[in-house]
Amino acid sequence: MTPSDVAPIKRILVLEDNFIIAMEAEDILRSLGVEHVEIATNAQQARQLAGEHAFDFALLDVNLGSETSFAFADELSARGTPFGFVTGYGESAVFPPALRSLPRITKPFNEDMMATLLAAVSANRR
C-alpha cells in the first residue's frame, strides 16, 4: 500500500486511552497522507470531537480502561462515519455480534496494517 491508496481519507479521529500508542498511530497515519488526526483518550472526548468536526474515519481502541468503545461505535454508525477497531484481543471474543465483521487491526500495529485498513475503508467509500 502507498499513501495514494488512502488519499480519500484526510481527517481521522483516533480513540485510544494509551497516549503513546495514539501518538504512534498519528505518526503512521500522517506518513500515509492523512492530513488531520485528532486524538481522544476516552469516549467523552471522542464524542466532543465528533460533535465539533466531520471525520472521514475513526480508529477505535476496543478497551478504554473502564469502558469499551462499542457504544461510541454505535454513535458513529448512526452518523454514517466509517470506523475500524484496534485491539489486543482475539478474533471476535469481546465484540458484539453487530460489530464482529467490521475492519480491525491488532496491537502492535504497523504502517502496512494501517494502510491495509485504510485502503479497505477507502474502497468502500467509492
Side-chain angles (χ1 to χ4, degrees), residues 49-94:
L49 287 168
E52 296 170 357
H53 306 284
F55 290 97
D56 299 317
F57 181 72
L59 184 64
L60 310 177
D61 180 21
V62 171
N63 184 349
L64 301 171
S66 62
E67 63 183 331
T68 68
S69 61
F70 298 143
F72 183 63
D74 290 340
E75 294 171 32
L76 291 173
S77 185
R79 291 176 187 247
T81 303
F83 59 91
F85 292 103
V86 176
T87 181
Y89 296 114
E91 266 310 293
S92 294
V94 298

Side-chain angles (χ1 to χ4, degrees), residues 1-9 32-33 115-123 126:
M1 300 289 154
T2 66
S4 63
D5 291 328
V6 297
I9 299 176
L32 293 171
T116 299
L117 176 68
L118 295 182
V121 171
S122 293
R126 293 180 187 155

Side-chain angles (χ1 to χ4, degrees), residues 10-110:
K10 295 296 181 188
R11 182 179 285 274
I12 292 183
L13 172 62
V14 173
L15 173 54
E16 168 62 64
D17 64 332
N18 182 312
F19 197 70
I20 293 172
I21 294 172
M23 295 297 293
E24 181 180 354
E26 179 180 18
D27 288 346
I28 289 171
L29 292 166
R30 289 191 183 278
S31 75
L32 293 171
V34 175
E35 294 174 2
H36 303 283
V37 178
E38 298 282 345
I39 295 173
T41 57
N42 60 54
Q44 181 181 349
Q45 287 177 349
R47 284 183 185 95
Q48 181 177 348
L49 287 168
E52 296 170 357
H53 306 284
F55 290 97
D56 299 317
F57 181 72
L59 184 64
L60 310 177
D61 180 21
V62 171
N63 184 349
L64 301 171
S66 62
E67 63 183 331
T68 68
S69 61
F70 298 143
F72 183 63
D74 290 340
E75 294 171 32
L76 291 173
S77 185
R79 291 176 187 247
T81 303
F83 59 91
F85 292 103
V86 176
T87 181
Y89 296 114
E91 266 310 293
S92 294
V94 298
F95 285 81
L99 300 176
R100 287 183 184 161
S101 65
L102 292 170
R104 74 182 92 139
I105 57 176
T106 57
K107 294 178 187 178
F109 50 81
N110 59 37

